[in-house]
Amino acid sequence: AALQRLVADAMPHTATDTPGPDVVADHNVLPPGAQAWDSGVIDGHKRFAVVLTTAGVYHYRCGFHEAAGMLGAVTVAATSP
C-alpha cells in the first residue's frame, strides 16, 4: 500500500512512525517485521510518499504538531497469493 501525505498549508510538517520517547502513549507502534519510516521535514504544499509492504496497522505522527493531536493511522491488509 502506498501512503501519500500532502501538506496543504504553508506550515512544515513531518510524517513519521519512528518510535521515540516523546510520542503519545500507544502511538507509533509498528506491525511485527515492518520497517520504520520518517519523511523528514515536508515543506508547505509538498508531498511525501512511502510504500508499506507489511500487513498491519501503522500509527504515525507529525513531529512538529503531535501535541496538537496531529496523529494518523493506516491499515495495510494482507494480500492473497
Side-chain angles (χ1 to χ4, degrees):
L3 172 65
Q4 187 170 179
R5 168 87 190 261
L6 169 64
V7 175
D9 58 26
M11 298 286 295
H13 295 277
T14 71
T16 182
D17 73 352
T18 304
D22 59 338
V23 299
V24 172
D26 298 328
H27 212 75
N28 288 52
V29 177
L30 299 171
Q35 292 284 88
W37 51 270
D38 184 349
S39 68
V41 176
I42 309 168
D43 291 324
H45 307 291
K46 302 289 185 191
R47 295 178 189 268
F48 166 76
V50 62
V51 176
L52 308 173
T53 57
T54 302
V57 179
Y58 293 75
H59 295 269
Y60 62 96
R61 71 186 193 284
C62 174
F64 296 128
H65 305 107
E66 176 184 1
M70 194 170 282
L71 308 168
V74 63
T75 300
V76 176
T79 58
S80 299

